[in-house]
């Protein structure tokens, strides 16, 4: 567990280090820094775009400790990992901090040594697909080689250490001459997918299946956390069109099909942490944010995820807003002299309604 | 051609006018002669009738108003002792007052229906009424004992004018036929058709938890959590369903689906899930 610097404002004037695992409710509103090495390994994909720009500007990645993430972390500490995987869904209005809460929780799992299976934005798999291949495994389905290879590459970066330890339990045949033997390393499977782009979607499916089967076994060396951002994309609609201009149902996409199988809690030894996202979603009303509205009552999404634990992510509380404001001032991000006054602060509260995304947008450059 | 015809019309018109003017002249002559007979001074002003004091000045404060307006009557400014104003305000001023105010006369007024007048009407109608049954004190009880309501309208109109918009218009309601129709519908509604058996989950009016995917998921999860007892089957299922946490979970899911989502129902669902999965 790496020691991290804490930026405390309300009670502690001097920064002090608290390990990731021992963050408690007292630390709500304070920032902690994620080491740069962790960022490169754990988050090659998955952080919000604006936050990535902020990391580059401030030269550090400070994450605010907030109640929803702490709640899920506390559940993760208490669960019995011989039982089926529990599902958590972060929900809230646009820009309230769901993706950041997810990243905070994943970082905790990473520091505990878990294997992280992170799908950064499931919406990206159901729209803007440049290449669509018919699947060789099941001719009714479609492959997305570009998205699959990109994901496999990032997966390899995150879980480098595990790839040399886990062995496959099944035999996979890719073409007449290429196959992966039983008992070969997971790293080989992933390399196979990255080099042979045509079969990469099936490789993704195979990786997910292997990990699902192996985690929770008594001889397993790892715990698995499955993190999906924008899980409502798995049961929504897609804008990808087939050659005859009819829309593709997400069910017919190999990547989505395999991800859905992961969402079921028929495996143990880990956790499934997801967020709902309206921002990237297709054909959903702008103001909807609750689980049933986005997962769809009729479209099986809710029934597939049921029973899950919904965790609400609200806008900043007064203390959290105060903390964020002081952080921006400390980083010299708020340059305008009026923003340092009480009046300016009230203006910021009014304009942003304490919504984290809105506050970031207002405080940014023009 | 056209111009010729118009000229002809003009000539005709002029002839007409001259004729009517002659008539007027004779009429005026007679009028003037009458006047000269009645007023020796010839002053038209003193011929006017003496305008008396308006009745409102003579009204005592505790008068019987029902005697002033016993029935529907137009607004009489000299009979209503209220300083009302009505109409569009003149420039720089207020609405015109009640004297000779057409706006007040045009509109219907209820000066004949003051509480005192209504009381008198009720007293007059009381000998013709019977007591309300005391047992029927709520609307629900009325609906329970008398589910069918028949509406009939009779009215009598008495007033100075015989013009009433509802007169001579009759909507005939066949009471017997209506009763027959209701009986038929009641008996038909109890019959079950063959195609009703094809009712799907999407047709259901309310969400029921039994045999829903939610119940299956939960039982699945619980059996896996116990890790044992794949056999046992039905009894194990009943045992699981009988637990209090499962009942609570069932209530929360039903509430979530039937009532819709809000913070309240979601919180209840979260607590129920935590208890069932023993977090």
């Amino acid at each position: 567990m790496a020691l991290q610097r804490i930026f405390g404002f309300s009670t502690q004037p001097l920064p002090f280090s608290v390990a990731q695992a021992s963050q408690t409710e007292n630390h709500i509103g304070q920032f902690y820094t994620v080491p740069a090495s962790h960022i490169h390994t754990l988050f090659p994909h998955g952080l919000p775009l604006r936050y990535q720009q902020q990391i580059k500007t401030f030269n550090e990645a400070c994450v605010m400790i907030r109640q929803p993430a702490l709640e899920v972390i506390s559940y993760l500490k208490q669960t019995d990992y011989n039982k089926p995987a529990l599902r958590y869904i972060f929900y809230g209005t646009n820009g309230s901090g769901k993706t950041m809460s997810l990243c905070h929780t994943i970082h905790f799992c990473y520091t505990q040594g878990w294997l992280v299976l992170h799908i950064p934005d499931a919406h990206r798999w159901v729209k803007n697909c440049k290449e669509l291949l018919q699947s060789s495994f099941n001719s009714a389905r479609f492959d997305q080689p570009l998205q699959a290879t990109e994901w496999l590459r990032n997966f390899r970066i995150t879980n480098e250490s595990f790839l040399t330890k886990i062995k496959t339990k099944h035999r996979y045949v890719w073409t007449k001459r290429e196959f992966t033997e039983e008992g070969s390393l997971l790293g080989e499977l992933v390399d196979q997918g990255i080099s042979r782009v045509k079969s990469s979607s099936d490789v993704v499916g195979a990786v997910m299946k292997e990990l699902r089967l192996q985690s929770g076994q008594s001889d397993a060396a790892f715990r698995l956390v499955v993190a999906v951002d924008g899980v409502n994309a798995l049961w929504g609609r897609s804008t990808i069109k087939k050659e005859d201009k009819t829309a593709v149902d997400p069910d017919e996409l190999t990547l989505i099909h395999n991800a859905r199988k992961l969402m079921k809690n028929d495996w143990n030894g880990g956790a499934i942490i997801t967020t709902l996202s309206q921002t990237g979603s297709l054909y959903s009303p702008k103001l909807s944010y609750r689980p049933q509205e986005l997962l769809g009552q009729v479209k099986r999404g809710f029934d597939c995820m049921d029973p899950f634990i919904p965790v609400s992510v609200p806008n900043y509380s007064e203390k959290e807003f105060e903390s964020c404001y002081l952080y921006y001032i400390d980083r010299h991000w708020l340059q305008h002299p009026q923003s340092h006054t009480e009046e300016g602060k009230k203006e910021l509260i009014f304009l942003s309604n304490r919504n984290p995304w809105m506050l970031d947008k207002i405080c940014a450059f023009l | 051609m056209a111009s010729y015809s118009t000229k002809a019309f003009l000539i005709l018109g002029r002839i007409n006018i001259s004729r009517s003017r002659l008539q007027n002249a004779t009429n005026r002559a007679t009028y003037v002669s009458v006047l000269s007979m009645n007023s020796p001074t010839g002053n038209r002003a003193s011929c006017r009738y003496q305008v008396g004091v308006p009745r409102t000045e003579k009204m005592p404060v505790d008068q019987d108003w029902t005697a002033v307006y016993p029935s529907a009557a137009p607004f009489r400014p000299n009979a209503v002792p209220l300083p009302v104003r009505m109409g569009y305000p003149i420039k720089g001023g207020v609405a015109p007052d009640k004297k000779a105010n057409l706006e007040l006369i045009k509109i219907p007024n209820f000066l004949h229906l003051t509480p005192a007048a209504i009381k008198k009407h009720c007293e007059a109608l009381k000998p013709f009424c019977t007591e309300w049954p005391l047992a029927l004190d709520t609307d629900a009880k009325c609906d329970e004992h008398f589910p069918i309501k028949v509406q009939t309208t009779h009215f009598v109109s008495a007033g100075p004018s015989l013009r009433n918009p509802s007169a001579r218009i009759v909507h005939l309601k066949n009471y017997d036929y209506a009763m027959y129709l209701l009986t038929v519908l009641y008996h038909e509604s109890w019959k079950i058709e063959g195609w009703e058996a094809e009712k799907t989950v999407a047709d259901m009016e309310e969400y029921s938890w039994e045999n829903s995917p939610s119940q299956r998921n939960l039982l699945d999860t619980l059996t896996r959590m116990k890790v044992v007892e794949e056999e046992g089957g039905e009894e194990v299922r009943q045992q699981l369903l009988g637990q209090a946490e499962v009942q609570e979970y069932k209530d929360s899911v039903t509430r979530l689906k039937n009532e819709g989502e809000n913070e309240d129902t979601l919180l209840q669902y979260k607590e129920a899930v935590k208890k069932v999965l023993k977090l």
Side-chain angles (χ1 to χ4, degrees):
Chain A
M1 267 168 270
L3 291 174
Q4 287 122 21
R5 179 167 62 100
I6 285 255
F7 241 63
F9 291 100
S10 40
T11 46
Q12 294 94 8
L14 297 165
F16 65 101
S17 1
V18 168
Q20 198 8 327
S22 46
Q23 283 164 2
T24 61
E25 308 249 315
N26 297 333
H27 301 126
I28 287 184
Q30 297 176 12
F31 284 83
Y32 80 98
T33 324
V34 180
S37 55
H38 286 198
I39 297 277
H40 290 308
T41 351
L42 181 55
F43 295 122
H45 54 187
L47 287 173
L49 185 63
R50 291 193 80 93
Y51 187 69
Q52 284 175 6
Q53 291 168 342
Q54 187 181 307
I55 296 177
K56 233 193 278 178
T57 321
F58 294 167
N59 231 357
E60 62 177 5
C62 276
V63 177
M64 194 198 281
I65 300 171
R66 289 181 79 194
Q67 207 275 330
L70 275 185
E71 195 181 325
V72 175
I73 291 178
S74 72
Y75 295 150
L76 289 175
K77 287 183 194 164
Q78 289 170 27
T79 27
D80 173 6
Y81 289 104
N82 296 323
K83 297 213 180 125
L86 282 170
R87 287 168 290 198
Y88 306 92
I89 296 191
F90 284 114
Y91 71 94
T93 44
N94 284 351
S96 63
K98 304 181 285 288
T99 311
M100 286 309 293
S101 301
L102 183 71
C103 293
H104 183 169
T105 330
I106 300 176
H107 184 234
F108 166 76
C109 299
Y110 181 75
T111 50
Q112 302 287 309
W114 295 28
L115 206 168
V116 175
L117 205 157
H118 185 36
I119 299 178
D121 192 358
H123 292 298
R124 287 226 290 261
W125 286 359
V126 292
K127 51 182 176 177
N128 301 336
C129 182
K130 300 261 164 45
E131 270 188 35
L132 204 66
L133 293 177
Q134 202 177 28
S135 165
S136 50
F137 182 67
N138 182 341
S139 54
R141 287 201 222 124
F142 294 97
D143 276 354
Q144 289 155 292
L146 296 174
Q147 276 91 346
T149 14
E150 188 197 330
W151 186 81
L152 279 172
R153 234 177 260 134
N154 291 327
F155 178 75
R156 186 170 60 179
I157 297 173
T158 313
N159 300 302
E160 199 75 61
S161 53
F162 287 102
L163 294 178
T164 44
K165 292 188 206 144
I166 303 175
K167 299 213 163 63
T168 58
K169 290 258 160 73
H170 292 265
R171 184 173 189 267
Y172 299 99
V173 179
W174 306 118
T175 59
K176 279 204 201 104
R177 264 166 251 153
E178 287 173 20
F179 51 84
T180 313
E181 278 294 342
E182 195 178 312
S184 55
L185 292 170
L186 199 66
E188 284 178 25
L189 191 60
V190 174
D191 289 329
Q192 161 82 29
I194 297 177
S195 49
R196 295 272 178 274
V197 178
K198 271 222 170 77
S199 51
S200 50
S201 316
D202 291 322
V203 169
V204 171
V207 165
M208 287 180 177
K209 185 167 146 192
E210 285 292 325
L211 290 174
R212 212 175 71 222
L213 288 173
Q214 289 195 22
S215 89
Q217 306 299 320
S218 44
D219 59 342
F222 65 96
R223 287 216 189 115
L224 177 65
V225 62
V226 177
V228 185
D229 205 333
V231 77
N232 46 322
L234 300 181
W235 292 283
R237 287 162 66 177
S238 82
T239 46
I240 310 177
K241 299 247 180 348
K242 293 185 235 185
E243 274 162 7
D244 54 355
K245 309 275 181 167
T246 52
V248 172
D249 194 40
D251 217 0
E252 297 172 4
L253 295 166
T254 331
L255 288 175
I256 304 289
H257 181 85
N258 290 318
R260 275 198 207 170
K261 284 201 277 191
L262 257 188
M263 291 290 113
K264 277 173 65 175
N265 60 350
D266 48 4
W267 52 278
N268 28 3
I272 304 174
I273 314 176
T274 64
T275 61
L276 293 173
S277 167
Q278 194 281 325
T279 326
S281 69
L282 299 161
Y283 304 109
S284 69
K286 187 135 191 243
L287 293 176
S288 54
Y289 67 93
R290 299 194 187 95
Q292 262 186 138
E293 290 165 8
L294 284 174
L295 282 173
Q297 257 179 319
V298 184
K299 288 189 202 96
R300 299 137 14 217
F302 185 86
D303 292 327
C304 284
M305 294 294 283
D306 192 35
F308 62 89
I309 300 178
V311 184
S312 157
V313 181
N315 285 337
Y316 280 151
S317 67
E318 286 188 17
K319 191 171 157 201
E320 288 168 349
F321 178 85
E322 184 78 39
S323 175
C324 188
Y325 172 73
L326 289 171
Y327 175 66
Y328 282 154
I329 290 188
D330 184 77
R331 295 279 109 202
H332 301 295
W333 188 233
L334 292 172
Q335 295 265 329
H336 197 283
Q338 211 198 349
S339 61
H340 296 268
T341 62
E342 196 53 42
E343 277 292 316
K345 191 164 139 203
K346 281 194 195 147
E347 214 177 294
L348 285 174
I349 295 181
F350 178 75
L351 282 173
S352 65
N353 195 24
R354 290 206 213 98
N355 180 282
W357 180 77
M358 204 66 209
L359 180 66
D360 183 50
K361 217 169 126 171
I362 296 172
C363 298
F365 51 87
L366 287 165
Chain B
M1 277 292 218
S3 52
Y4 187 73
S5 54
T6 46
K7 270 194 199 150
F9 278 128
L10 281 168
I11 292 164
L12 282 168
R14 250 184 255 143
I15 291 169
N16 282 338
I17 286 163
S18 52
R19 216 182 285 144
S20 57
R21 268 202 207 137
L22 277 169
Q23 278 180 331
N24 277 345
T26 47
N27 287 343
R28 224 180 285 141
T30 47
Y31 186 60
V32 165
S33 56
V34 166
L35 265 182
S36 54
M37 279 199 310
N38 285 342
S39 58
T41 54
N43 192 356
R44 219 191 280 182
S46 59
C47 167
R48 229 179 265 158
Y49 290 113
Q50 295 298 323
V51 178
V53 178
R55 189 175 148 195
T56 51
E57 312 279 322
K58 297 184 227 156
M59 281 179 172
V61 182
D62 54 353
Q63 71 175 329
D64 182 18
W65 181 255
T66 56
V68 180
Y69 265 85
S71 60
F75 182 85
R76 289 184 286 262
N78 291 333
V80 177
L82 300 167
V84 288
R85 288 181 176 273
M86 175 119 169
Y88 194 81
I90 59 167
K91 196 167 172 187
V94 294
D97 75 343
K98 63 177 179 175
K99 284 260 179 328
N101 194 332
L102 196 62
E103 305 288 331
L104 280 167
I105 301 174
K106 280 196 293 192
I107 55 171
N109 66 65
F110 294 95
L111 293 163
H112 58 292
L113 290 176
T114 50
I118 305 273
K119 233 187 205 159
K120 280 195 181 173
H121 298 162
C122 287
E123 289 302 323
L125 284 171
K126 258 203 178 120
F128 304 104
C129 299
T130 56
E131 285 279 329
W132 181 261
L134 288 168
L136 292 172
D137 43 10
T138 60
D139 273 336
K141 280 191 195 162
C142 292
D143 285 334
E144 187 197 326
H145 294 287
F146 299 98
I148 301 176
K149 293 180 173 55
V150 179
Q151 218 169 353
T152 46
T153 315
H154 308 272
F155 53 91
V156 177
S157 166
S161 161
L162 49 78
R163 293 185 200 286
N164 189 318
S166 325
R168 292 173 181 269
I169 296 169
V170 179
H171 298 278
L172 255 184
K173 275 197 192 116
N174 193 334
Y175 175 76
D176 293 327
Y177 182 59
M179 287 292 120
Y180 159 74
L181 267 184
L182 276 172
T183 324
V184 165
L185 285 171
Y186 175 74
H187 287 293
E188 283 295 314
S189 66
W190 281 107
K191 289 191 192 161
I192 297 180
E193 295 283 329
W195 45 261
E196 281 190 50
E198 295 167 25
K199 192 174 180 186
T200 60
V201 174
D203 293 323
M204 298 279 178
E205 302 92 10
E206 252 191 0
Y207 178 80
S208 69
W209 192 69
E210 286 79 37
N211 297 329
S212 71
S214 173
Q215 187 195 32
R216 262 181 275 130
N217 286 347
L218 183 70
L219 288 174
D220 233 357
T221 321
L222 284 177
T223 27
R224 247 181 279 122
M225 273 165 65
K226 302 249 195 249
V227 179
V228 282
E229 297 163 49
E230 285 297 331
E231 341 84 36
E234 202 43 51
E235 303 145 18
V236 175
R237 209 163 157 264
Q238 289 306 319
Q239 190 191 42
L240 283 175
L241 283 173
Q243 286 171 5
E245 293 109 11
V246 177
Q247 289 300 316
E248 219 181 287
Y249 175 77
K250 167 190 169 185
D251 289 332
S252 70
V253 173
T254 321
R255 196 172 160 219
L256 197 66
K257 293 252 180 185
N258 281 338
E259 270 180 50
E261 285 174 314
N262 46 40
E263 287 303 307
D264 215 12
T265 44
L266 279 170
L267 238 120
Q268 191 190 9
Y269 176 73
K270 182 170 156 186
E271 295 303 314
V273 169
K274 271 164 60 178
K275 275 197 204 141
V276 155
L277 300 177
K278 298 193 184 42
L279 246 187

